[in-house]
Amino acid sequence: MFFSPTEAFSAYLDMAQRLPAIVPVPSSQTIQQITDLVDDIDVFLFDAYGVLNVGGTAIAGAAAQIAKLRAAGKLVYVVTNAATQSKPQLLQKFIRLGFDFSDQEIINSREVLLQHMPQPADSPLGIITLSEFRLDLARPCYYPEDEAFWQADEFLFLSGQAWNAQRQARFIEALNDRPRPVWVGNSDLIAPLENGVSQEPGSYTLTLPAHLFEQVRCFGKPFAPIFDTVLAKIKPRLANINRQRIAMIGDTLHTDILGGNAMGFKSVLVTQHGFLRDLDVDAHIQRSNIRPHFQLKSI
């Protein structure tokens, strides 16, 4: 578990071989607002936490900036590792926060994972999520409070809030006894909240011992499947778009920026609200060797 961005950042450095390869970016340009890029970018991909909102609070001015991009004829999407809630639940959350995203403009890692995950009818699945977010799947499903959970043939990790150190120790023991696939809906280590951070599924799965990590399947940023889903949504609207005219905007070097760069997109690091708030941004860029094309305080 990680109790600060500094701890999580050190962990990301230690697991570099488990993440996409770093694509060098020679230098970063500082911009004042996201609309500074309207002449250079046609598709804007926004992370949620730390960019559009912090916890349950919308970031001031973010909705207005989205409206300006729409008025300029740009495509906008939310690309988020949020996996606890379904897409309809996420849509309602953004509406409550004052955003006007449509269902088709939200790409969350849970949706991407479930599209890739086989659903054998008779194979039990252990799902790690909160009780109010249980899934309705056509196969036997068990949850951490069920004793049968530990005998499942596969595990689906959606929520760090449903987990703790004691369960993690038993989880590792169970996987050592019988290695099984672990499907990860949120590959973040932490998420920024109004006060402090939350533990996300990546903190329990990307850190597994090497022989167990072989069974881990990740679908959120910085890994390719979520970005491939984005490209599939863009293609009907802009069939021949140059990837350099797509921008991934996020607050975390090892998810948003690393993943966007690896896909050949432009990347934009937001520094004021999320992972790097109150930290020395340039020093963290130097330590990680992950450099955004653009940098700004808030969109």
Side-chain angles (χ1 to χ4, degrees), residues 192-205:
L193 301 176
E194 291 92 336
N195 297 293
V197 301
S198 63
Q199 300 300 311
E200 300 302 330
S203 66
Y204 298 106
T205 54

Side-chain angles (χ1 to χ4, degrees), residues 123-126 142-143 146-155 170 174 177-178 180:
S123 178
L125 176 67
Y142 299 99
Y143 296 85
D146 305 322
E147 189 56 34
F149 169 89
W150 302 101
Q151 283 72 54
D153 291 337
E154 302 175 279
F155 295 102
R170 187 174 180 184
D177 289 343
R178 180 161 67 99
R180 285 158 278 178

Side-chain angles (χ1 to χ4, degrees), residues 68-91:
K68 290 178 182 178
L69 293 175
R70 291 192 194 281
K74 305 302 177 179
L75 302 186
V76 294
Y77 295 90
V78 178
V79 183
T80 174
N81 282 355
T84 302
Q85 296 175 301
S86 66
K87 183 188 282 190
Q89 290 166 330
L90 282 174
L91 179 60

Side-chain angles (χ1 to χ4, degrees), residues 117-126 136-141 153-154 183:
M117 185 179 185
Q119 298 294 339
D122 58 349
S123 178
L125 176 67
D136 182 18
L137 301 178
R139 62 188 293 189
C141 295
D153 291 337
E154 302 175 279
W183 301 79

Side-chain angles (χ1 to χ4, degrees), residues 7 25 29 58 99 117 121 137 140 156 192 212 216 237 259 289 297:
E7 290 183 13
V25 173
Q29 178 182 342
F99 295 97
M117 185 179 185
L137 301 178
L156 172 56
L212 298 180
V216 172
R237 303 178 70 181
N289 290 319
K297 291 183 178 179

Side-chain angles (χ1 to χ4, degrees), residues 263-276:
M263 293 298 295
F265 304 158
K266 294 293 187 181
S267 58
V268 184
L269 180 66
V270 180
T271 62
Q272 182 171 305
H273 308 289
F275 193 100
L276 293 170

Side-chain angles (χ1 to χ4, degrees), residues 4 26 42 88 95 98 115 151 177 183-184 193 198 205 232 249 280:
S4 70
D42 297 318
I95 291 173
Q115 289 173 349
Q151 283 72 54
D177 289 343
W183 301 79
V184 182
L193 301 176
S198 63
T205 54
I249 303 105
D280 185 330

Side-chain angles (χ1 to χ4, degrees), residues 125-201:
L125 176 67
I127 303 177
I128 302 168
T129 193
L130 298 172
S131 58
E132 61 264 38
F133 298 114
R134 292 189 172 206
L135 277 66
D136 182 18
L137 301 178
R139 62 188 293 189
C141 295
Y142 299 99
Y143 296 85
E145 57 269 25
D146 305 322
E147 189 56 34
F149 169 89
W150 302 101
Q151 283 72 54
D153 291 337
E154 302 175 279
F155 295 102
L156 172 56
F157 212 133
L158 297 177
S159 174
Q161 293 173 281
W163 213 234
N164 56 43
Q166 292 73 29
R167 285 177 171 172
Q168 179 70 359
R170 187 174 180 184
F171 189 51
I172 292 174
E173 181 180 347
L175 291 175
N176 277 321
D177 289 343
R178 180 161 67 99
R180 285 158 278 178
V182 179
W183 301 79
V184 182
N186 184 343
S187 45
D188 289 351
L189 299 186
I190 61 169
L193 301 176
E194 291 92 336
N195 297 293
V197 301
S198 63
Q199 300 300 311
E200 300 302 330

